[in-house]
Amino acid sequence: MISISSAHTLILGATIVFLVSIVLTGIIIPKILLIAYRKNLFDEPDERKIHKGAIPRLGGIAFVPALIFSVCFTIGIFCLPFVHVDCLVCDSDNGIGICFGLCGLVLLYLVGIADDLVGVQYRAKFVIQIISAVLLIMGGIWIDNLNGFCGVYSWSPILGCLLTVLVTVFFVNAINLIDGIDGLASGLSAVALVSYGILFLYVDDLLNALISFALLGALLQFFYYNVFGNAKKGKKIFMGDTGALCVGFVLTYLSVSLSRFPSIGTTPLNPLVVAFSPMILPCFDVLRVFFGRIRAGKSPFLPDRTHIHHKLLNLGMSTPRAMVSILSISIFFIGLNMLLSNLIDSVLIIVIDIVLWIVFNLFLNKRIAMKRQSELEK
């Protein structure tokens, strides 16, 4: 019998699931590209989009199979009769939540594929997102504690469930809407998954750590094709709605699951702060864009070119530089919030985040105005 200690189990499990997911996604994506080019399944460019040529947008189809296979494969290895682990994943209390979560994920996966292939009305997508959120709640994954935010700790299950539905729909659409330049949605999601994976390992929650690193592996493989792939050689691909919806849902599941811990660490980090900090940048950007559209008398759901990546491109940044800049800002917010989470009140942390975000956007607006004025004077 092979005996593995608890600490080694966590590291080994994360490594196995990460590598299996990378390999499997690396096998699936070239097949998707082949089918997309044979069947002319492309994301056609228009005046709002950054890309110029016709590029397949079915990369997200690879994510869910890679996630499920790699996690189940790793759990299966740990549950073999001749393998003994101190941290036995087969006896995890997360089983019911993961089962219902997978049901919600499959629903979003199917709707995403339909949307990428033939189009689905946004109302229908909202309904499926709400159903998926309800499935999470049925599995016991809901925001049951605000950890002192505004002085609230445990609270009404009804309010907690309603907030969970709202957060699910918001996070799923935030990832979808931030997907505007190569590597941005997958890069921001990868940064969040690294944070979640490390934190779940830290609290000995192996199953959720496996999910985090499995999706991370799939996203990194996709990131390579999305950012470095050559469209002229048929090697470039977008994640599409399939990928954005599913990634957003998994990130919701992980963040809500992490927020349910009573504390994190011996010098306890606020679970609510560390759970939702990785999603701050896409959520802040969506809120800013929506409020800006409403203030301009436009529908908040009509697309435009006012997202954070559009601002950086308007300053003259290249697409890769804009992407790296936004990822760096996200890492800054995550690090800052984790540093402050056991030092000051969570409300004050949110206020600091909002002030920093507003100041940064005002700075960008001023720089863009100066650049345009300079161009007019030439």
Side-chain angles (χ1 to χ4, degrees):
M1 177 179 291
I2 302 173
S3 181
I4 308 174
S5 68
S6 178
H8 289 162
T9 299
L10 296 172
I11 297 172
L12 181 61
T15 303
I16 292 173
V17 78
F18 177 73
L19 293 177
V20 171
S21 181
I22 281 185
V23 171
L24 191 59
T25 312
I27 294 172
I28 296 174
I29 287 182
K31 305 302 180 185
I32 294 173
L33 282 166
L34 181 63
I35 294 171
Y37 277 94
R38 284 184 176 179
K39 300 297 181 179
N40 294 318
L41 304 173
F42 300 119
D43 183 23
E44 298 293 344
D46 58 31
E47 67 280 357
R48 185 179 62 87
K49 296 176 181 177
I50 304 298
H51 68 282
K52 303 302 181 184
I55 298 172
R57 61 172 186 173
L58 302 174
I61 291 177
F63 296 169
V64 172
L67 171 65
I68 294 176
F69 181 91
S70 56
V71 171
C72 292
F73 179 80
T74 306
I75 293 173
I77 289 177
F78 286 157
C79 291
L80 290 173
F82 56 84
V83 177
H84 173 74
V85 295
D86 293 339
C87 180
L88 191 58
V89 293
C90 307
D91 297 331
S92 173
D93 294 332
N94 298 329
I96 296 177
I98 289 176
C99 288
F100 279 102
L102 283 175
C103 291
L105 182 63
V106 170
L107 284 180
L108 288 171
Y109 182 66
L110 295 175
V111 169
I113 293 174
D115 193 31
D116 287 332
L117 292 177
V118 297
V120 175
Q121 290 186 347
Y122 73 89
R123 291 185 182 89
K125 288 193 286 188
F126 272 126
V127 170
I128 297 301
Q129 290 165 20
I130 292 171
I131 293 173
S132 297
V134 171
L135 286 169
L136 268 187
I137 294 167
M138 290 173 63
I141 308 299
W142 56 283
I143 303 171
D144 62 347
N145 193 324
L146 292 188
N147 295 100
F149 184 77
C150 294
V152 179
Y153 288 88
S154 59
W155 64 335
S156 165
I158 295 176
L159 293 177
C161 292
L162 289 174
L163 180 60
T164 303
V165 172
L166 178 63
V167 167
T168 302
V169 174
F170 187 40
F171 280 12
V172 167
N173 286 282
I175 295 298
N176 198 11
L177 292 171
I178 202 72
D179 187 21
I181 58 176
D182 293 344
L184 184 54
S186 56
L188 286 171
S189 301
V191 168
L193 289 166
V194 170
S195 302
Y196 291 135
I198 293 173
L199 287 167
F200 279 121
L201 288 178
Y202 187 59
V203 296
D204 293 331
D205 188 340
L206 181 56
L207 262 178
N208 283 328
L210 292 180
I211 292 171
S212 302
F213 286 111
L215 186 55
L216 175 64
L219 282 177
L220 289 182
Q221 186 69 264
F222 164 81
F223 185 89
Y224 170 78
Y225 281 92
N226 181 229
V227 175
F228 302 105
N230 190 326
K232 294 180 180 179
K233 296 181 180 180
K235 299 296 184 181
K236 191 176 186 67
I237 196 166
F238 297 151
M239 70 165 61
D241 276 13
T242 307
L245 295 176
C246 292
V247 170
F249 184 72
V250 174
L251 291 174
T252 303
Y253 163 79
L254 294 172
S255 60
V256 174
S257 297
L258 189 61
S259 74
R260 291 170 56 83
F261 279 83
S263 63
I264 298 176
T266 52
T267 54
L269 305 174
N270 187 307
L272 195 72
V273 172
V274 299
F276 294 111
S277 290
M279 295 297 295
I280 276 183
L281 194 145
C283 290
F284 274 11
D285 189 56
V286 168
L287 286 173
R288 180 191 58 78
V289 170
F290 272 30
F291 285 135
R293 292 171 183 171
I294 293 171
R295 190 174 61 179
K298 302 177 182 178
S299 168
F301 301 103
L302 288 178
D304 56 23
R305 291 177 61 91
T306 59
H307 284 282
I308 184 66
H309 51 274
H310 292 127
K311 288 189 175 186
L312 295 181
L313 294 175
N314 289 338
L315 281 176
M317 283 190 182
S318 64
T319 299
R321 186 180 174 189
M323 180 264 292
V324 171
S325 298
I326 297 171
L327 297 190
S328 301
I329 296 168
S330 179
I331 294 170
F332 168 78
F333 273 116
I334 295 171
L336 176 66
N337 288 357
M338 288 189 179
L339 179 65
L340 297 177
S341 66
N342 66 342
L343 299 176
I344 61 177
D345 185 76
S346 55
V347 175
L348 184 55
I349 293 175
I350 295 297
V351 170
I352 292 172
D353 289 340
I354 293 173
V355 170
L356 289 174
W357 182 248
I358 291 174
V359 169
F360 176 66
N361 276 275
L362 290 175
F363 171 75
L364 289 182
N365 292 342
K366 184 176 180 180
R367 289 290 302 274
I368 292 170
M370 290 173 60
K371 182 175 182 293
R372 288 175 176 169
Q373 182 64 32
S374 176
E375 290 173 350
L376 290 174
E377 292 174 353
K378 290 182 180 179

